[in-house]
Amino acid sequence: MPTTSFDKESIKQSIIGKVQRYSGRTLADATDQQIYQAVASTIRDQIMQKWVTAREQDKTYMGKRLYYLSVEFLTGRSLHCNAVNLCSMENVREALMDLGINWRHVFREEPEPGLGNGGLGRLAACFMDSLASLGMPAMGCTIRYEYGLFRQRLVDGQQVEMPDNWLENGNVWEVAAPDDTMEVRFGGHVESYEIGGRTNYEVRDTHTVLAVPYDMPIAGYDNDTVNTLRMWRARSPREELNFGAFSSGDYDKALERDLANIICKVLYPEDNHAEGKRLRLIQHYFFTSATLQYAVKDFKRRFGTRFNLLPEKITVQINDTHPGLAIPELMRILMDQEGLGWDEAQAIVCKTIAYTNHTVMSEALEKWPQQMVRDQLPRIYMILEEMNRRLCDRLWNAYPGDWDRIAHMAILAYDQVHMANLCVAMSYAVNGVSKLHGEILKNTTFHDYYTLMPEKFTYITNGITHRRWLMACNTHLRKLITEAIGDKWYKEPQALEELLPFADDKAFREQFQKVKQFNKHQFNNMLFQRQGMRVEEDYMYDAQCKRLHEYKRQLLNALHIHVLYNRIMDNPNYTMVPRVFIFAAKASPGYYKAKLIIRYILALAKLIEKSPRARQMLRVVFVENYDVTAAEAIMPATELSEQLSTAGKEASGTGNMKFMMNGALTIGTLDGANVEISEQVGMENIYIFGMRAETAGALEREGGYNPMNVFEQNAEIRRALMQMIDGTLMPESPTALQALYHDLMFDDRYFVMKDFGSYSMAQHRVNEDYQNRDKWLRMAVINTAKSGVFASDRTIREYNEKIWHLI
Ligand code: 26W
């Protein structure tokens, strides 16, 4: 037990005292929100005690430190996981129970910071938890968005977006650190001058924005580590003067204020789709510049100007290319502020920065118009030009005359800045996020670079923190497992494998099933609370929860449900295991087809609701506003996990791991981490279907296939497709789904039609196996038992061994 865990009595006293002091009420009169504030701040006190000590030790720490840069950290709520990590959850629960309060009601008052879109942001949050739990010195760095990802509502069968004002009631978990405020400059023009034969550069007439850090403590599990998630907030340097700026005609000063006010307003909702938006570029530079300035300042505090030590003492991991400007920014700091020469600076930078790629979707690869970068960041642009010049010289030596290849690998080409090329060329490690993804990076996406610098490339399979995704979100399963194999797995998740023999233990399987049943009930409570709906608890729960994307193929799932519906309606003797199909997904507001897929799913749901007979076997629920909190209720309740991406497209997936850990079986393609999941559990404990990545890749390069053949050969598909456009689904707007129909028929780039037959057969096997309760539960237990390697503790250890070398 760590020294700071509070006993039940002191927790009780603290809560009563805080409710009184903060809200001027007795506990009996306090609202759930007021009680939440008191409980959260009790837990915070406990973390603060440790944070103070941790910071004290930091001051004399001479080892290596990690800066993990990411535009997204999708942390989810903090209270429950903090209580778990402090080993205080049991005491909190009992304290609240003594006070006559249901902990679940209090905990759900916490707003969720929606500071991420999906996988990339959630991964960063899992990493923070593992880093702290493994006692590794790390700081997460990001933007403190005022508005997180939009809140989704479903109105009249369509997605509607609403602002997410997550800071409305304040944020208990953050502390401002104004002492570490940095200045970030935009615009202006570069001037050069000579001193002692050296050319120096200075940017004049810039707009300055202050970056003020807000720190969130990240407590490790049952240890004394408290790391920091630093969220930078933009402030105007002339807040006090703003009043007179416009009237005195000082428009530049007014601009500065506007810029500061707008930078951290909102998180961009595009996921896997890069648009060259100016404000986004500004956001990226804002937080990378602030972070690197801080990192260098802290380095100097520790080691003075011995910059040759920098790569030994600091490592900067960039989460996809979004913080890639860290590369020219560190060059700028070392040269313009610290006086190093180019060669020296570049040697340091190239040993300090490592890059993780998270997607091979070509539309997600970031490119900025050169003119935009030149206007907003003139000195950074100069550095990029020189970097590019030197890089192209090197490429020319390697591939003399091969202009196409060189242009393809260059940082600057065709009037654009290619962020991925910058990151690959200038970092000391490039990693993919699953075995298959790592191979695709080497063989396809970055093949030319791989040939030139193979030693840089590696892969590290993603992971999830089992503390949030099992211990906290599935408390009953946690207890059951611990009763069976003890609690060693809390710190060594791979010890979950000791559960394997229990797969053959009938009594254990029945307990496992009871837990699942309880979680299905809890899911319904959430569903009712969030959207006033309930579904049958004795149906099979099947879920596909992830961002809405064509490549993730929610459409394949929907089409299959549609076919099932027709089978039921056409054949009075047709039966199947009754199933609830759960969907949860946000579509980027400008992504027309993704939004259409939501409409299709909701229309199907409505059609099924209208038929009492169909409802006996099918339900479709779309969980509104998918977020971490919703996931925490869905994962434990799910029995079948849908992982349907077109092979070769999903870099890893991490939802697949969360479902598996909570005892769901997977139906999926051999894509991303599904490949490794199938290796862990064995082909007999997973439902694999569809084309392999190689086949799909080859077919794509050939220019696709003709889906018309499938249409002509498969009467069930034909029928469903016709109903998509004949008014069966949306009588009020019969042509609404036209574009989906059209793509399936004539432009099926994600091979929905091609994989349909194989998917449908796999679903048939699911249906058979589910009826054999012993068989199904046995497989479910094996899935949980084998999920330990997908804990992010393993992932972080691998990063440390292969890339960071922190401890
Ligand atoms: C600039 C627009 C944009 C925004 C976000 C482009 C790309 C992204 C992310 C890289 C998309 C993303 O979240 N990728 C997901 O990363 C997860 C963590 O590694 C993987 O598990 C998912 O497979 C991958 O889609």
Side-chain angles (χ1 to χ4, degrees), residues 83-219:
V84 166
N85 279 10
L86 295 169
C87 303
S88 297
M89 189 50 211
E90 280 308 297
N91 291 344
V92 170
R93 203 176 53 83
E94 284 173 18
L96 287 171
M97 206 156 64
D98 282 5
L99 298 170
I101 298 164
N102 181 334
W103 69 272
R104 288 182 193 272
H105 292 179
V106 172
F107 281 32
R108 71 182 181 213
E109 287 294 312
E110 178 170 0
E112 171 179 335
L115 307 188
N117 273 284
L120 164 121
R122 183 53 234 175
L123 186 77
C126 283
F127 281 10
M128 288 307 291
D129 184 70
S130 285
L131 281 161
S133 296
L134 296 173
M136 296 189 194
M139 181 182 260
C141 298
T142 189
I143 298 166
R144 185 174 175 279
Y145 302 102
E146 222 173 296
Y147 291 86
L149 185 62
F150 67 87
R151 297 176 55 82
Q152 177 198 54
R153 295 224 37 216
L154 301 171
V155 181
D156 295 336
Q158 276 178 273
Q159 167 174 299
V160 175
E161 301 90 20
M162 317 237 281
D164 166 47
N165 190 3
W166 72 285
L167 288 165
E168 204 167 36
N169 289 322
N171 176 12
V172 201
W173 304 108
E174 68 182 7
V175 181
D179 291 357
D180 285 336
T181 297
M182 300 290 149
E183 285 187 3
V184 182
R185 296 171 199 283
F186 297 93
H189 56 270
V190 181
E191 283 178 9
S192 61
Y193 55 94
E194 307 276 327
I195 295 181
R198 178 192 152 102
T199 311
N200 294 294
Y201 298 92
E202 202 172 296
V203 194
R204 297 215 188 274
D205 303 323
T206 55
H207 299 300
T208 301
V209 174
L210 299 181
V212 185
Y214 285 68
D215 291 345
M216 185 170 151
I218 309 287

Side-chain angles (χ1 to χ4, degrees), residues 88 474 515 588 691:
S88 297
N474 199 340
V515 170
S588 184
M691 268 190 283

Side-chain angles (χ1 to χ4, degrees), residues 119-120 270-274 280 320 358 462 551 650-653:
L120 164 121
E270 279 82 33
D271 182 88
N272 261 304
H273 183 85
R280 191 177 177 121
D320 217 275
H358 293 268
N462 281 167
Y551 86 81
E650 189 71 274
S652 160

Side-chain angles (χ1 to χ4, degrees), residues 396-424:
W396 179 263
N397 283 329
Y399 306 112
D402 195 346
W403 285 111
D404 279 351
R405 191 193 302 256
I406 294 173
H408 180 71
M409 298 172 79
I411 299 171
L412 305 180
Y414 309 113
D415 298 322
Q416 292 189 305
V417 181
H418 292 252
M419 293 302 288
N421 287 344
L422 169 69
C423 294
V424 174

Side-chain angles (χ1 to χ4, degrees), residues 71-72 117-124 127 268-275 280 284 319-322 356-361 363-366 368 432-433 437 462 547 549 551-552 649-657 672-673 799:
V71 278
E72 304 184 3
N117 273 284
L120 164 121
R122 183 53 234 175
L123 186 77
F127 281 10
Y268 275 91
E270 279 82 33
D271 182 88
N272 261 304
H273 183 85
E275 277 183 290
R280 191 177 177 121
H284 292 180
N319 202 20
D320 217 275
T321 58
H322 319 143
T356 307
N357 173 283
H358 293 268
T359 179
V360 299
M361 301 295 290
E363 64 268 34
L365 296 181
E366 278 193 305
W368 298 105
V433 291
H437 175 57
N462 281 167
R547 281 300 287 256
H549 259 287
Y551 86 81
K552 294 178 190 276
K649 298 294 182 195
E650 189 71 274
S652 160
T654 44
N656 48 2
M657 302 167 184
Y799 272 93

